[in-house]
C-alpha cells in the first residue's frame, strides 16, 4: 500500500475500478479482495496464539513467585550479614541496591538461559512446520531484536517487581536485627509474606492447569467434529486458468475433464 493509504481506502478504490470494468464488459467480472499479509498468513491462528501467550504469562508469574520465595528465603538467611553491614555504616539504600542488583542479575541469567533454549528449540522444531505454514511465515520464525528486547524487558521488570518486596523488608529491618538477635528470625510479618506468595503461586498454578485442560478439551472436540463428508483420499487443489485461452466456463470444464482423465476420479470444479 502507498504510504498513508489504509486497507479500507484501497478496497473502496478497487470496488470502484471493479464496477467500471463490469460496466465496460457488460457482465460481472471477478471481484478482487485485499487482505493484509499478517491476516492472510496467521489470521486464523490469532486467537490460539493469544490464548497461548496468556498461558505463557501465567507460567512466567508462577516462575516469578518461585524466585521471589527463594529470594525472600535467601534474605532471611542473610539477615545477620545485612545487619552487620548496617552496623558498619551501610545505608538502607546501599543494602537495597545490593539485593536488587543480585535479583536483576538472577533474572537476566534466567533470560539468557531461556533465549538459548529458545534458539535450540527453534532449530529443532522449525523443520516440523515447514509443510504446514506459508514460506513467508516460516522464514520469519526466529529470534529477532523485538523478541530479544521483550525477553530482556520482561526479565528486568519481573526481577524488579518480585525482588523489590523481599529486598525492602530485608533492608528495612537490617539495623534492628543485630540488636534483637535470634528473636527477629521467623517473624510473623515475614511468615505471612511467604504464605501469601505460596497462596498466589498455588492459585496461578490452578488457573494455568484449568486453562490448559480446557484448551486440550477444545482441541479434542474440534478433532471429533463431523465435517459432513469423508475426507479420506480427498485432494484439494487450486489451478488458475489464463482468461485469454479459457475465457468461458465450458472451456474451463473441458480442461479439467482432460486433467482428470475420465469419470473414474470424481471431482467437483468450483469457479467464481
Amino acid at each position: 500500500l502507498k504510504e498513508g493509504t489504509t486497507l479500507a481506502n484501497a478496497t473502496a478504490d478497487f470496488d470502484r475500478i471493479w464496477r467500471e470494468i463490469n460496466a465496460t464488459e457488460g457482465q460481472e467480472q471477478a471481484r478482487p479482495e485485499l487482505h493484509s499479509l499478517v491476516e492472510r498468513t496467521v489470521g486464523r491462528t490469532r486467537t490460539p496464539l493469544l490464548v497461548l501467550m496468556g498461558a505463557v504469562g501465567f507460567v512466567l508469574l508462577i516462575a516469578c513467585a518461585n524466585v521471589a520465595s527463594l529470594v525472600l528465603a535467601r534474605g532471611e538467611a542473610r539477615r545477620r550479614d545485612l545487619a552487620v553491614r548496617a552496623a558498619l555504616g551501610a545505608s538502607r539504600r546501599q543494602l537495597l541496591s545490593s539485593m536488587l542488583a543480585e535479583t536483576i542479575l538472577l533474572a537476566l541469567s534466567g533470560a539468557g538461559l531461556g533465549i538459548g533454549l529458545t534458539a535450540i528449540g527453534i532449530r529443532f522444531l522449525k523443520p516440523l512446520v515447514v509443510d504446514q505454514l506459508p514460506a513467508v511465515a516460516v522464514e520469519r520464525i526466529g529470534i529477532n531484536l523485538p523478541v530479544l528486547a521483550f525477553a530482556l524487558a520482561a526479565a528486568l521488570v519481573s526481577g524488579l517487581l518480585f525482588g523489590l518486596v523481599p529486598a525492602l523488608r530485608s533492608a528495612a529491618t537490617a539495623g534492628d536485627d543485630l540488636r534483637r538477635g535470634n528473636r527477629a528470625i521467623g517473624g510473623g510479618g515475614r511468615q505471612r509474606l511467604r504464605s501469601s506468595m505460596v497462596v498466589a503461586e498455588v492459585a496461578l498454578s490452578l488457573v494455568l492447569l484449568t486453562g490448559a485442560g480446557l484448551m486440550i478439551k477444545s482441541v479434542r472436540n474440534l478433532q471429533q467434529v463431523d465435517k459432513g463428508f469423508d475426507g479420506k483420499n480427498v485432494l484439494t487443489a487450486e489451478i488458475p486458468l489464463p482468461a485469454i485461452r479459457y475465457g468461458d466456463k465450458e472451456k474451463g470444464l473441458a480442461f479439467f475433464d482432460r486433467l482428470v482423465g475420465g469419470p473414474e476420479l470424481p471431482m467437483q470444479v468450483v469457479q467464481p
Side-chain angles (χ1 to χ4, degrees):
L1 293 177
K2 184 179 179 181
E3 188 70 23
T5 303
T6 63
L7 187 62
N9 294 337
T11 301
D13 198 18
F14 263 96
D15 288 341
R16 178 184 57 81
I17 298 174
W18 173 69
R19 288 191 296 268
E20 292 178 355
I21 294 177
N22 290 339
T24 303
E25 298 293 333
Q27 60 180 352
E28 184 172 325
Q29 304 295 317
R31 184 174 183 176
E33 294 183 357
L34 297 181
H35 301 276
S36 66
L37 181 61
V38 176
E39 187 68 24
R40 182 72 175 178
T41 54
V42 297
R44 292 176 297 178
T45 59
R46 182 182 301 275
T47 300
L49 286 177
L50 292 177
V51 175
L52 180 61
M53 289 179 64
V56 171
F58 282 119
V59 173
L60 177 62
L61 290 177
I62 293 174
C64 289
N66 282 330
V67 174
S69 300
L70 294 175
V71 171
L72 184 61
R74 191 165 183 264
E76 291 290 330
R78 297 179 57 191
R79 285 174 60 191
R80 189 172 296 277
D81 174 51
L82 296 175
V84 172
R85 291 187 186 183
L88 293 177
S91 64
R92 181 180 300 180
R93 181 178 180 180
Q94 290 175 331
L95 296 177
L96 181 62
S97 301
S98 176
M99 295 192 67
L100 282 180
E102 295 177 1
T103 305
I104 294 176
L105 180 60
L106 179 63
L108 291 178
S109 300
L113 179 61
I115 293 173
L117 293 177
T118 301
I120 297 175
I122 290 176
R123 181 178 179 182
F124 286 98
L125 296 179
K126 187 175 180 179
L128 301 179
V129 298
V130 172
D131 299 331
Q132 302 177 15
L133 295 176
V136 64
V138 175
E139 292 176 358
R140 299 189 63 180
I141 296 179
I143 301 178
N144 50 24
L145 289 180
V147 174
L148 183 61
F150 175 79
L152 295 177
L156 287 174
V157 172
S158 60
L160 287 174
L161 289 180
F162 289 88
L164 185 60
V165 175
L168 283 174
R169 295 187 64 89
S170 299
T173 59
D176 300 331
D177 288 344
L178 189 63
R179 293 190 296 268
R180 289 185 291 176
N182 293 332
R183 292 178 300 172
I185 299 177
R190 288 181 171 82
Q191 185 63 35
R192 285 192 296 270
L193 180 60
R194 287 196 296 267
S195 300
S196 301
M197 289 183 176
V198 172
V199 171
E201 181 180 350
V202 173
L204 290 174
S205 300
L206 289 177
V207 173
L208 178 63
L209 290 175
T210 303
L214 291 176
M215 290 180 61
I216 294 174
K217 184 178 179 180
S218 299
V219 172
R220 185 182 61 184
N221 292 337
L222 289 175
Q223 292 176 346
Q224 297 176 355
V225 170
D226 185 11
K227 298 183 290 294
F229 63 90
D230 185 9
K232 187 177 181 180
N233 297 328
V234 175
L235 175 66
T236 62
E238 181 178 354
I239 305 177
L241 300 179
I244 297 178
R245 185 172 181 181
Y246 302 94
D248 51 30
K249 185 176 182 179
E250 288 71 16
K251 292 183 179 180
L253 292 176
F255 168 81
F256 286 111
D257 288 339
R258 295 192 302 271
L259 177 65
V260 173
E264 64 274 4
L265 293 179
M267 180 183 65
Q268 180 182 4
V269 180
V270 180
Q271 290 189 349

